[in-house]
Amino acid sequence: MSPHVYLLGLMFADKVFSIDSLTPERLYKLEIRSGCNQLVVPIKDEAADLWVFRRYEQIATKREMSNDQLPYATIKTHLKDIGHIAGFREVLKPYSFRYGTGNAFDRSLDVSSNMRNGIMNHSNDKVFKDHYFSRTISLDVQAVVRSTQPQRDLIQAACSMSRSIDPNRPRYLTSEQKQSIAKDPEIQKMEKRLKQNSMNIQEYEKCKRDIRNKKQRMRYQILRQSRRDYEKTQPEKDIQQQLLGKGFEEKMETVPKESQRTQGHERLILAATSPPESSVAAEMTRKVEAINAVKDYCSFEEGEMPRRRAEDPCANYKPQETDDTRKKAIEEAKDVFFKENRPKICFICLGNEGLVLEKRLYCFASPGDLSKHFKRHLMQFNESKGEECRLCKVHLSNSLHMRRHAFEQHGTVSNNFR
């Protein structure tokens, strides 16, 4: 799918176009006026300098997109995780895309050095040669010397970063490795000192920070060594398995199963991976569906569910397969606030349509656990603008109002109301 499809999806989600009635379906039906060669689709003045990737602001009842740029460190961390999930040996980072693009321009016969410098915003060729030029020989040297047809596809595959993909490459520490960190003598010594309560606040916080940093460094070092050991031992295992006439070991599951995906996530995957159509009309329909899938998915909040307990606490409120049964499950969950004095479902999460269904219907193990969860919503209350209870359609002017409403209407107890 073309990158502009994702960009258009984000633009429609942010409502940046000055014509509010413009939709993806109508966009592809627009025509250019006779005598003109283009039709500019105007955007709002306030959206002209809007960052594509931005931070979100967490308030008590929902998440809102801010106008602040997403920090480079955050993007770098996410790309690193994506690289690990994909199975790359090298670390994937934003610079990898710029580095690869620059070398692709340099190898292309259609791009001159001046054009490359203009695209890369380099002042001269020296910048590219010193910082971007790949030291990997991406040329079929034997074919050049022997005056034969070069095997360009083979050489490109051999020099590609994707050559190192291995979905079984270690991504997490094992239980034994985690225990080795906890049993480290230096860590135990620092934790023992922390429990003695013989430090002031500054020393206490510094000791906690040192322990956290020490554990983080150890986790990084152990995981890096595990990946190095894997690079040595796994090829030997694969070869031995084949010499013995056995097949490869079953690969690890690196992507969520269909049952673990949300409806919006599944729709986005299907739209993004759909094959090109043979006719122009069908291809436009395919792109429109992909744009709408991206736009609609922007309203979902991603994140992990709370840790599961031995007994599934939300067995009666599991996600269903159809829209009708989903609505029915939500309505049944709303009835809990009328039938039980101390419900175990968060009324804020239940009313948040941006959350996945499983999060909205999540049932805590006890009312006390729900109270702890509710306190986190209170800490994020927007005192300047207030909040809204989406179930009752009631404006909550301050956090005290929210506590009272939670106790009187939804049976959720906080410290101030018992």
Side-chain angles (χ1 to χ4, degrees), residues 76-87:
K76 183 178 179 181
T77 301
H78 290 333
L79 282 178
K80 181 179 178 181
D81 293 339
I82 292 173
H84 285 169
I85 294 173

Side-chain angles (χ1 to χ4, degrees), residues 84-356:
H84 285 169
I85 294 173
F88 289 118
R89 180 176 57 194
E90 296 83 3
V91 176
L92 183 63
K93 49 190 175 182
Y95 182 78
S96 302
F97 296 100
R98 184 171 174 83
Y99 179 86
T101 301
N103 280 276
F105 289 153
D106 186 62
R107 291 191 298 267
S108 176
L109 299 177
D110 298 326
V111 181
S112 64
S113 60
N114 291 333
M115 179 65 71
R116 183 200 64 214
N117 292 337
I119 297 174
M120 302 291 292
N121 198 23
H122 291 166
S123 58
N124 50 56
D125 292 342
K126 188 176 185 301
V127 178
F128 178 83
K129 292 179 180 179
D130 292 346
H131 304 286
Y132 288 85
F133 183 71
S134 176
R135 271 49 181 178
T136 302
I137 306 300
S138 57
L139 176 69
D140 191 348
V141 179
Q142 293 188 34
V144 173
V145 174
R146 298 167 59 189
S147 300
T148 59
Q149 186 68 24
Q151 303 182 62
R152 293 187 177 88
D153 294 339
L154 177 62
I155 297 300
Q156 183 178 0
C159 299
S160 173
M161 184 177 177
S162 60
R163 185 188 65 174
S164 65
I165 287 179
D166 186 346
N168 285 350
R169 186 174 282 109
R171 292 172 49 200
Y172 306 106
L173 298 182
T174 62
S175 301
E176 293 76 11
Q177 291 171 335
K178 293 178 181 179
Q179 292 176 4
S180 67
I181 295 177
K183 295 179 181 179
D184 181 75
E186 187 175 351
I187 294 292
Q188 291 183 338
K189 182 179 179 181
M190 296 170 68
E191 290 179 341
K192 183 178 180 180
R193 179 169 174 262
L194 190 67
K195 295 178 181 179
Q196 291 177 352
N197 297 327
S198 59
M199 300 176 287
N200 56 36
I201 296 178
Q202 290 78 9
E203 292 175 342
Y204 181 82
E205 293 297 330
K206 183 179 183 301
C207 186
K208 284 178 58 178
R209 185 168 58 252
D210 292 341
I211 294 174
R212 183 174 62 251
N213 293 341
K214 174 66 175 177
K215 289 183 177 180
Q216 181 64 29
R217 287 193 298 269
M218 292 185 66
R219 282 193 291 265
Y220 174 77
Q221 293 171 358
I222 293 175
L223 182 58
R224 183 175 62 174
Q225 186 60 43
S226 297
R227 293 170 70 89
R228 288 178 177 176
D229 295 341
Y230 179 86
E231 295 292 336
K232 295 180 180 179
T233 59
Q234 189 59 38
E236 296 177 355
K237 292 180 180 179
D238 291 342
I239 294 174
Q240 290 290 349
Q241 288 287 103
Q242 295 182 69
L243 293 178
L244 295 174
K246 300 179 180 180
F248 294 107
E249 296 180 358
E250 186 177 353
K251 294 183 178 180
M252 296 171 57
E253 187 69 32
T254 58
V255 296
K257 298 179 180 179
E258 292 186 7
S259 59
Q260 298 173 327
R261 297 170 182 160
T262 64
Q263 187 181 20
H265 191 188
E266 187 67 25
R267 178 191 176 194
L268 177 61
I269 293 175
L270 293 176
T273 58
S274 60
E277 299 290 346
S278 56
S279 65
V280 176
E283 180 64 14
M284 292 299 103
T285 302
R286 185 178 77 99
K287 290 184 177 180
V288 167
E289 169 58 21
I291 293 172
N292 282 323
V294 174
K295 175 179 71 70
D296 295 340
Y297 189 71
C298 290
S299 62
F300 284 91
E301 294 185 14
E302 295 180 334
E304 296 181 353
M305 279 293 297
R307 186 175 298 175
R308 291 288 186 184
R309 296 163 174 83
E311 182 180 354
D312 188 0
C314 54
N316 296 328
Y317 309 104
K318 285 188 176 180
Q320 306 296 319
E321 296 298 330
T322 64
D323 291 338
D324 292 338
T325 49
R326 285 189 179 90
K327 293 178 181 178
K328 182 179 179 181
I330 293 175
E331 293 301 324
E332 290 178 354
K334 291 179 181 179
D335 293 340
V336 172
F337 300 112
F338 301 100
K339 297 178 180 178
E340 300 179 9
N341 294 328
R342 293 291 304 276
K344 294 180 287 186
I345 297 178
C346 177
F347 71 96
I348 296 177
C349 296
L350 181 62
N352 189 351
E353 297 179 356
L355 292 176
V356 296

Side-chain angles (χ1 to χ4, degrees), residues 11-26:
M11 295 177 73
F12 277 108
D14 289 332
K15 300 179 180 179
V16 302
F17 296 108
S18 59
I19 304 174
D20 296 333
S21 59
L22 184 64
T23 62
E25 292 82 0
R26 293 180 175 180

